[in-house]
Amino acid sequence: MSAEGPRIAVVHRLSSLTERPLYMIRRTLLFTAASAAFPLFSHAEPMTEVVVTVTRQALPVSRVGQAVAVLDDRDIQTYQSVYLADLLTRTPSLTLTRNGGPGSAASASIRGAGADHTLYLLDGIRLNDPSQVGGGTNLGLIATDDAARIEVLRGPLSTLWGSGALGGVVSITTRETRSPLEGTVALEGFEHGGSARAAAGGKAGRFTWRLFGQTLKDDGVSTFAGGRETDVFTQTSLSAKGALAVADNVTVRGFTTYSRSRNDYDGYPAPLYAFTDTEEYGRTSTRVSAIALLHRFDSGEQTLSISESESNRHDYFSDGSQFIALGQIQSANYHLLYRLSDSTRLLGGVSYERDTMRLASPAPWDPNPASQSVSVTTYGLYGQVMQEVGSATLALSARHNDSSSFGNLNIVQASVSAPVGPFRLHASAGTGVKAPSLYQLYSDYGQPGLMPENGVTIDAGADYVTDSGRIGVTAFTRTVRDLINFQYDNCRVDQMYGCYGSIDRSKAIGVELTGHYSFGAWTIRGDYSFLDTRNDSPGQTGKALPHAPEQAGGIDVDYRVTDRLSLGAGLRHVGDSFDNASNSRVLEGYDLVDLRLSFDLTDRVRLYSRVENAGDARYETASFYGQPGRRVWLGISAKMF
């Protein structure tokens, strides 16, 4: 058996879920109910309306018919997380799967959807890597960097964003310059590593600019859970953005970001091909660049943009072989927002995207192999009508895609949001899609002709809003057809190690509870989700889906002791799940506790500290892969000018 065989088998493992004991169910329900209900009887200053932009236009959340969680700049600073993955776990119905410590391959599942069913956006540009197995995003390589706002929409939004937005959308917005001249620096670290960040920006007439840089090193943990050595992760990131108002109603915007990473990991060396400590490692460089022309007029605005992203991966294995992968996306978009009247808005656009994958596997026995290069082009046309009917907001959107790989595709989605007294009622129904990746189509394990995965989601809920916060409940159901999975049957003769094919369909139903309240010096945020999933694939009918815990939830409590001193604590519970499609490997549930402290030494200097996994819990999000234990961080940030 070649080294490539076991590697592929490991990459394409599936996982799933099991039930928790009754006492854990009661404990979680009581815990979440208390966190959501306690503040109902308190009083505080009225909360301002949250505005979201993941809907491709700025809208108050009260007019959005889907469930959206928002982490603003204050939340990001409060939680202090270096990595985006850790921040996302503080949003409802999202669970993390990570093959080791920081820097390792990681993915997030929203409502039990597949790892590549979440679309990631950075300032409106998708972060996909076409050379990844599923064509998605390696969440493990994304640091918080210069993020000022993170929006997580639960449910499909493919009518507006296209492929990948089947289970949800994560939109990251970077900071904007607000002053004629500003600059910040931050340093943090302790025994497990550290990071340094610096930013500067300014305004000069019609020109606004911002620069950001970060370097970090994490001594990590052993990727192999039974290993004795740690696998180090290092990353350097640089970004620049600028805007020039060439006229009162015309603005040119541009940004570019570049990061370079190295992560150590463990593997499956010959001759046993058993998971163990190795000296294997990988290097990854990523770049995203975009330029846009924005024109505002009396009835709306229009934007013309072009962007390019590139991810270059180079893995070095213990047997001397290598794997080189280059993924590129080139796109052009025209987007229009038009206010037909005070109660009617039209939104639409056209898009072009070209995805390219290049692969090569040099080895001592084949040092100069022929590389494989393939591309797919997709044209898209989308539109939305948003209508105010009394106090209710109705939205109907549709999309048409024409792809060189799968042909034509048409999808629709509808939503409604309506305030009724102190309640906000919302509901949506629509189709999300995930196109087959280039790897699934054209690699040595590919099957040309695979159709897009497509899922229909229906959800409905209500939020109870008071001056001090809100509590909400949402119920949903999702059915996905034509799921693509790795298989060992129905492959070509030369595909002795397996190939890709459709596993028919899956189903999921669930309920989400959320709460966010501020009263006096206290702020409390809590969430709880119950999820029931089912695999309807041949041979797996009735099994639970992988990495989809039946129960998950968390609570964060922050207390401002004085005007300068704040304390915080967080608890996250993830229930039992399965780690394979046959449901034979169980991932035991776990509880993680974080502690936080922040002290404003002066108006410009802040000291902060956190203890991650304060209980030093030992757990796995994927079988045999290690996760960090207790970690202490100390930091200082300063406004230079």
Side-chain angles (χ1 to χ4, degrees):
M1 187 176 188
S2 74
E4 192 69 15
R7 285 181 195 138
I8 294 299
V10 171
V11 168
H12 304 293
R13 292 183 308 110
L14 287 178
S15 312
S16 206
L17 144 169
T18 189
E19 295 185 356
R20 289 292 284 162
L22 183 59
Y23 81 89
M24 181 60 75
I25 297 175
R26 290 173 176 166
R27 185 183 76 176
T28 307
L29 286 171
L30 178 61
F31 170 75
T32 308
S35 69
F38 174 74
L40 282 174
F41 304 100
S42 62
H43 299 279
E45 294 298 321
M47 297 185 69
T48 57
E49 176 80 78
V50 176
V51 175
V52 298
T53 59
V54 69
T55 50
R56 302 203 76 148
Q57 60 177 313
L59 290 173
V61 72
S62 60
R63 295 176 58 189
V64 178
Q66 292 179 270
V68 185
V70 178
L71 298 174
D72 60 21
D73 188 43
R74 181 176 178 180
D75 295 325
I76 295 171
Q77 293 191 42
T78 295
Y79 296 139
Q80 305 178 18
S81 299
V82 175
Y83 304 103
L84 177 67
D86 296 326
L87 278 172
L88 294 181
T89 59
R90 302 183 185 278
T91 63
S93 288
L94 187 146
T95 54
L96 180 67
T97 300
R98 185 158 50 193
N99 292 352
S104 302
S107 61
S109 172
I110 297 178
R111 293 177 170 178
D116 297 316
H117 292 169
T118 299
L119 176 65
Y120 294 86
L121 303 168
L122 176 64
D123 288 339
I125 306 301
R126 60 174 59 230
L127 293 178
N128 295 60
D129 177 2
S131 69
Q132 291 280 349
V133 171
T137 304
N138 181 2
L139 182 57
L141 294 180
I142 305 179
T144 304
D145 283 349
D146 206 26
R149 183 180 180 84
I150 300 169
E151 301 174 12
V152 182
L153 182 139
R154 305 190 296 279
L157 203 59
S158 290
T159 50
L160 298 185
W161 290 108
S163 174
L166 192 157
V169 181
V170 175
S171 176
I172 307 161
T173 303
T174 56
R175 286 184 172 84
E176 297 285 348
T177 298
R178 305 295 183 186
S179 306
L181 184 63
E182 58 188 45
T184 59
V185 294
L187 299 171
E188 68 173 77
F190 205 58
E191 59 178 327
H192 294 290
S195 70
R197 287 171 289 172
K203 291 183 176 182
R206 291 177 175 267
F207 181 62
T208 302
W209 60 275
R210 184 173 179 85
L211 302 174
F212 173 82
Q214 174 175 270
T215 181
L216 63 89
K217 178 181 179 181
D218 196 302
D219 290 341
V221 298
S222 176
T223 303
F224 170 50
R228 296 181 177 273
E229 47 76 46
T230 58
D231 292 308
V232 178
F233 172 60
T234 59
Q235 185 179 77
T236 299
S237 302
L238 300 170
S239 64
K241 63 189 306 185
L244 175 64
V246 296
D248 291 342
N249 63 340
V250 179
T251 302
V252 178
R253 299 180 181 272
F255 84 87
T256 185
T257 179
Y258 172 83
S259 71
R260 185 168 184 172
S261 311
R262 171 185 164 133
N263 62 297
D264 299 337
Y265 53 84
D266 297 324
Y268 297 76
L272 299 179
Y273 299 107
F275 196 22
T276 187
D277 283 339
T278 66
E279 299 299 320
E280 298 180 348
Y281 67 96
R283 298 183 184 273
T284 304
S285 63
T286 61
R287 176 181 55 83
V288 179
S289 301
I291 188 169
L293 178 65
L294 171 65
H295 172 227
R296 294 173 294 272
F297 50 95
D298 290 342
S299 299
E301 61 185 43
Q302 55 186 339
T303 305
L304 179 64
S305 63
I306 57 174
S307 65
E308 182 179 54
S309 66
E310 179 178 284
S311 178
N312 196 331
R313 295 183 290 133
H314 199 151
D315 293 316
Y316 300 84
F317 303 119
S318 56
D319 61 1
S321 64
Q322 303 173 33
F323 179 70
I324 302 172
L326 176 67
Q328 293 179 317
I329 299 178
Q330 298 169 322
S331 65
N333 297 271
Y334 171 75
H335 181 73
L336 172 68
L337 176 62
Y338 186 79
R339 291 182 291 273
L340 192 62
S341 67
D342 291 340
S343 59
T344 306
R345 281 191 178 196
L346 304 179
L347 176 155
V350 293
S351 64
Y352 163 83
E353 180 174 305
R354 179 182 175 86
D355 293 10
T356 301
M357 174 186 74
R358 296 187 180 93
L359 304 178
S361 299
W365 55 89
D366 187 12
N368 297 299
S371 62
Q372 180 185 27
S373 180
V374 292
S375 297
V376 166
T377 57
T378 303
Y379 297 89
L381 174 66
Y382 63 92
Q384 182 184 77
V385 178
M386 181 170 287
Q387 180 68 46
E388 304 289 334
V389 181
S391 59
T393 302
L394 288 79
L396 177 64
S397 57
R399 187 180 192 93
H400 169 77
N401 272 359
D402 184 0
S403 172
S404 61
S405 67
F406 58 80
N408 294 326
L409 179 69
N410 299 298
I411 56 174
V412 296
Q413 183 166 345
S415 67
V416 59
S417 179
V420 180
F423 293 94
R424 180 182 76 94
L425 308 180
H426 57 90
S428 69
T431 302
V433 296
K434 163 62 175 64
S437 71
L438 294 176
Y439 195 95
Q440 292 166 340
L441 289 167
Y442 304 118
S443 72
D444 290 341
Y445 311 92
Q447 293 277 30
L450 292 174
M451 295 302 296
E453 300 171 325
N454 61 93
V456 176
T457 299
I458 301 173
D459 62 13
D463 295 330
Y464 178 74
V465 184
T466 71
D467 286 344
S468 54
R470 61 169 180 78
I471 59 173
V473 58
T474 302
F476 66 89
T477 177
R478 181 186 65 246
T479 301
V480 184
R481 298 175 181 267
D482 299 322
L483 277 166
I484 300 171
N485 188 27
F486 201 70
Q487 62 181 5
Y488 296 94
D489 299 322
N490 303 317
C491 300
R492 299 192 309 267
V493 175
D494 61 324
Q495 293 176 323
M496 63 182 68
Y497 298 121
C499 64
Y500 288 97
S502 298
I503 65 168
D504 198 6
R505 67 168 64 185
S506 69
K507 294 182 180 179
I509 60 173
V511 178
E512 303 162 341
L513 301 176
T514 61
H516 186 191
Y517 278 86
S518 298
F519 56 103
W522 295 86
T523 299
I524 298 179
R525 184 199 298 263
D527 67 88
Y528 167 77
S529 61
F530 175 84
L531 179 66
D532 182 21
T533 64
R534 188 175 71 188
N535 190 337
D536 282 347
S537 308
Q540 305 293 348
T541 302
K543 302 292 186 180
L545 292 178
H547 292 202
E550 189 177 66
Q551 296 188 75
I555 182 172
D556 277 281
V557 180
D558 288 278
Y559 176 61
R560 180 166 285 278
V561 182
T562 68
D563 290 341
R564 295 185 179 273
L565 176 64
S566 296
L567 303 176
L571 169 63
R572 189 71 186 169
H573 168 71
V574 177
D576 291 350
S577 62
F578 291 119
D579 197 42
N580 56 352
S582 62
N583 291 184
S584 61
R585 284 200 303 270
V586 176
L587 292 171
E588 295 185 359
Y590 56 91
D591 299 280
L592 300 178
V593 176
D594 297 329
L595 304 175
R596 303 181 294 272
L597 178 150
S598 177
F599 179 70
D600 294 332
L601 189 63
T602 69
D603 292 340
R604 290 180 172 271
V605 180
R606 181 172 69 101
L607 305 177
Y608 58 94
S609 177
R610 67 184 179 279
V611 183
E612 300 172 345
N613 190 6
D616 200 25
R618 300 301 175 182
Y619 66 100
E620 294 178 344
T621 62
S623 290
F624 314 120
Y625 286 92
Q627 294 297 314
R630 182 188 299 114
R631 316 183 98 191
V632 179
W633 298 87
L634 304 174
I636 180 172
S637 64
K639 297 178 180 179
M640 305 303 295
F641 41 81

